[in-house]
Each structure stands twice: as C-alpha cells, then as structure tokens.
Amino acid sequence: MIGFLVLLLAIAPWIISATLTYYYSQSFLGLLWVVIGAIAGALFVPVAGVYWLQTLHPRSMESQAVGMIFVPVILPFFAYSGSVAGVSAVVGFYLTGFSGLSAVAISVLSVILVGLLPIAIAKIPSTSEPSTLSRSSNQWLWLPIGAIANGIIGAALAIYLTKAVVWVILQVASF
C-alpha cells in the first residue's frame, strides 16, 4: 500500500502539470514543454542544490555521513524537486502568459530557489531534539512530499518574484 502511495506521489505532479498545460495551451507543444521543463529541472537543480549545500554547510559536506547519503538521498531529492519545479514553471508560464525574457528569469530563479530552500531551512537552528525516522512507520512518505512541496514552492516564488520585478520595471518605465 505504501509503495503504491509513493508511486502515486511520484507521478502526480507530472500528470497534473501535463493536464493543466494541455488545457491552457490546447496543443501538444505544451506537453513537449512539460517534458523539457522536467528534464531541465532534474539536471540543473541538483547542481544548484549541491552548490548551496557546499556554500552554507561546508563542514557537513566534508563529513563521512554526507558521503554515504549523497548519491542515494541528496541527489535524487534535488533531481525530483527540480523536475517538479520544471513542470510547475511550465504551468506557470501558461497561466500567467509570460514569454521571452520573463520565462528565462522564471527558469533561472526556479533553479536557484529550489536548490536553496531546503538548505536554508536546514541552516535554521532547532531548539528541539532531532528525531530519527523509523523504517517501519509511514514517515518515509515525507521525503517525496517535501520534494514536491519544495519544487512547487520554488517555482511559485520564482513566478511571483518575476511578476514583481516586471511590475516595478513597468512602473519605473512609465515615469
């Protein structure tokens, strides 16, 4: 049951994004953009995430523990978050009607923010004791849910930041 739920969580963002993109674009070119966004996010966000991890947590990147979980946990988390951010950004392009330079700005900001968000949150000091994940419980579901949330939030922040910058530029240009 848990395996099916994880599989459903894994493919749901792509199905929803493809459906919304096709609904708003009414062409199969939109579906191609969803695939391209997923691939681009899966390639570029791990690079940004590792960069931010090395910048904000340099001591922990040199530890043996990070070396043991880097390939099986950290890289897949960033790749999946990037893939979700890529498809979310494509849906955002069609919902907001951005094109050209704004689309490039949203893409670059998505890569930066999706790589930065989990690292910045991990940098916040915690006052509670760290909890351990139990292998027999359903707490492993939080990893894909966190990756999906990270991708969607990063893409949404990039879209709204780009909208704000475009609005400010238009306001300054109208004077």
Side-chain angles (χ1 to χ4, degrees), residues 96-110:
T96 58
F98 281 138
S99 63
L101 191 57
S102 298
V104 172
I106 289 172
S107 301
V108 170
L109 277 172
S110 291

Side-chain angles (χ1 to χ4, degrees), residues 3 5-6 63 86 153:
L5 190 57
V6 170
S63 73
I153 290 169

Side-chain angles (χ1 to χ4, degrees), residues 62-146:
E62 296 169 358
S63 73
Q64 231 176 359
V66 169
M68 304 261 307
I69 65 168
F70 185 74
V71 172
V73 176
I74 294 174
L75 282 181
F77 177 82
F78 281 126
Y80 184 66
S81 290
S83 179
V84 171
V87 296
S88 300
V90 169
V91 171
F93 297 151
Y94 283 104
L95 290 176
T96 58
F98 281 138
S99 63
L101 191 57
S102 298
V104 172
I106 289 172
S107 301
V108 170
L109 277 172
S110 291
V111 167
I112 292 170
L113 290 172
V114 172
L116 175 65
L117 286 174
I119 307 306
I121 290 171
K123 189 74 173 163
I124 299 172
S126 175
T127 58
S128 64
E129 293 184 26
S131 63
T132 60
L133 290 175
S134 169
R135 290 181 189 227
S136 63
S137 72
N138 296 341
Q139 292 178 344
W140 286 105
L141 289 176
W142 289 108
L143 193 61
I145 290 171

